[in-house]
Amino acid sequence: MQSESLRIVFMGTPDFAVASLDILVQNGFNVVGVITAPDKPAGRGLQLQESAVKKYAVSKGLHVMQPEKLKNPEFLEELRGLNADLQVVVAFRMLPEVVWDMPRLGTINVHGSLLPNYRGAAPINWAIINGEKESGVTTFKLQHEIDTGDVMFSQAVAIREDETAGELHDALMATGAELLLKTVTAIAKGDVHEVPQADIKAEDIKHAPKIFKEDCQIKWEGSIDHIYNLVRGLSPYPTAWATLQGKSVKIFKATKEKTVPSVAPGEFVTDGKSYLKIAASDGYLSLVEIQMEGKKRMDIEAFLRGFRAN
């Protein structure tokens, strides 16, 4: 089958998905529909905000659908009417079987990890939080259990020691788009070998559940390596946080120092000008870029100009 005759419906919402949609469009694939989240009120004026995928799709003149519920009969009828051969999902919500089982070639997903590791909502964050040296992307076929379908292709990506979740997100976004192009091209040619995840060797399968606010709080009794990885893995969002002199502070960027601290875990040391570092069990976390509650995000030198240690 030629790429232009393969009818594709694309499903996605955030920036991460735009690169994948764009690479299909730029390579001449026939995207007959784009499904994304409904517009949502945001900001102080609660103005309706369109998703990144919608903005891109509209700019390219693509047919956009924004169902509130994926089992809505009118939506399902419109989706069937698109007569898709294949559906592609990148950073979207869970699909009911009536949706993912609709196209004759099924539905494929681009996932930000090397499956079967890091199944779940936050694979990029957890890979860094857990101190992994490698991440990657996987394309796989959707089936009943989340992130468990047969693997088509995967591509590893190295994680730098100082890399944040935001930086890894951008790297995987580009790699994921390239891997999707490779996958859809192979499907169009009928040249795909699917591998069940049970056949892929993984010693201890690690998971990537949704992250809540309590997961983001730094526990200073822990090791400096773990705390440093937590900060990197939650930056820039949802952001690690701690309490400093009774106020909540988000930590976007920091460095670590392995040493025997001179103060107890959770206490800080500062010269009042250029550094503020907080003790862990076996070292210090030196703050670089932070945001105190009620204040804007700033580097540590700017913060210390208005900070008075109690």
Side-chain angles (χ1 to χ4, degrees):
M1 178 179 281
Q2 296 297 312
S3 61
E4 59 270 16
S5 61
L6 187 70
R7 296 176 63 84
I8 296 172
V9 165
F10 184 93
M11 304 181 186
T13 295
D15 285 324
F16 189 86
V18 173
S20 290
L21 176 55
D22 180 61
I23 206 166
L24 294 178
V25 171
Q26 296 302 330
N27 283 275
F29 282 95
N30 184 19
V31 179
V32 296
V34 173
I35 300 169
T36 190
D39 298 349
K40 287 190 167 56
R44 290 186 179 179
L46 293 180
Q47 297 287 318
L48 284 178
Q49 299 291 316
E50 298 176 334
S51 74
V53 163
K54 181 183 177 182
K55 288 176 183 174
Y56 174 86
V58 169
S59 76
K60 297 298 181 183
L62 301 174
H63 176 63
V64 176
M65 301 161 67
Q66 296 176 274
E68 287 282 353
K69 295 182 179 177
L70 297 176
K71 290 184 179 179
N72 180 288
E74 290 81 11
F75 163 69
L76 292 174
E77 186 178 352
E78 187 178 358
L79 184 59
R80 277 192 201 94
L82 295 176
N83 196 27
D85 299 302
L86 177 71
Q87 289 174 161
V88 173
V89 179
V90 184
F92 196 55
R93 56 195 198 257
M94 280 186 66
L95 303 183
E97 183 175 357
V98 67
V99 172
W100 61 254
D101 199 37
M102 194 178 291
R104 65 181 185 84
L105 295 174
T107 299
I108 63 170
N109 183 222
V110 177
H111 186 73
S113 81
L114 296 174
L115 292 172
N117 269 317
Y118 295 106
R119 294 171 180 152
I124 296 172
N125 305 95
W126 283 110
I128 293 182
I129 291 169
N130 289 338
E132 300 288 0
K133 301 290 188 286
E134 184 180 73
S135 181
V137 285
T138 303
T139 51
F140 70 98
K141 202 85 163 276
L142 284 194
Q143 61 184 39
H144 288 283
E145 295 296 322
I146 189 167
D147 298 339
T148 61
D150 293 351
V151 167
M152 294 176 163
F153 296 101
S154 61
Q155 177 67 51
V157 173
I159 300 175
R160 301 190 318 273
E161 284 193 16
D162 62 347
E163 194 159 13
T164 65
E167 291 164 340
L168 180 58
H169 167 281
D170 291 350
L172 295 183
M173 180 170 63
T175 303
E178 294 289 346
L179 197 68
L180 175 64
L181 178 62
K182 177 179 179 180
T183 304
V184 176
T185 301
I187 290 171
K189 293 177 179 176
D191 184 25
V192 178
H193 175 59
E194 298 174 18
V195 180
Q197 289 191 38
D199 294 350
I200 299 171
K201 288 183 180 178
E203 293 176 9
D204 293 311
I205 293 180
K206 296 164 186 170
H207 297 280
K210 186 176 179 180
I211 293 172
F212 296 95
K213 186 177 181 182
E214 55 266 29
D215 300 317
C216 303
Q217 183 175 10
I218 295 174
K219 296 175 175 59
W220 296 106
E221 297 77 16
S223 73
I224 190 59
D225 285 340
H226 174 73
I227 292 169
Y228 177 65
N229 291 341
L230 185 72
V231 169
R232 292 191 302 125
L234 296 173
S235 179
Y237 182 83
T239 324
W241 64 277
T243 301
L244 184 64
Q245 296 195 156
K247 290 188 175 181
S248 175
V249 58
K250 291 181 175 181
I251 303 172
F252 293 92
K253 192 174 181 183
T255 58
K256 66 177 178 178
E257 179 186 339
K258 276 202 154 185
T259 186
V260 178
S262 61
V263 295
E267 294 185 5
F268 66 86
V269 177
T270 182
D271 64 353
K273 295 178 182 178
S274 61
Y275 73 83
L276 188 155
K277 52 190 185 180
I278 304 175
S281 65
D282 58 349
Y284 291 103
L285 188 77
S286 187
L287 309 188
V288 175
E289 199 172 335
I290 66 172
Q291 184 176 8
M292 187 73 94
E293 63 177 273
K295 304 286 185 180
K296 64 181 182 180
R297 181 171 168 175
M298 60 183 76
D299 62 42
I300 196 64
E301 290 87 355
F303 170 77
L304 286 173
R305 282 197 288 273
F307 178 70
R308 294 292 171 266
N310 292 341

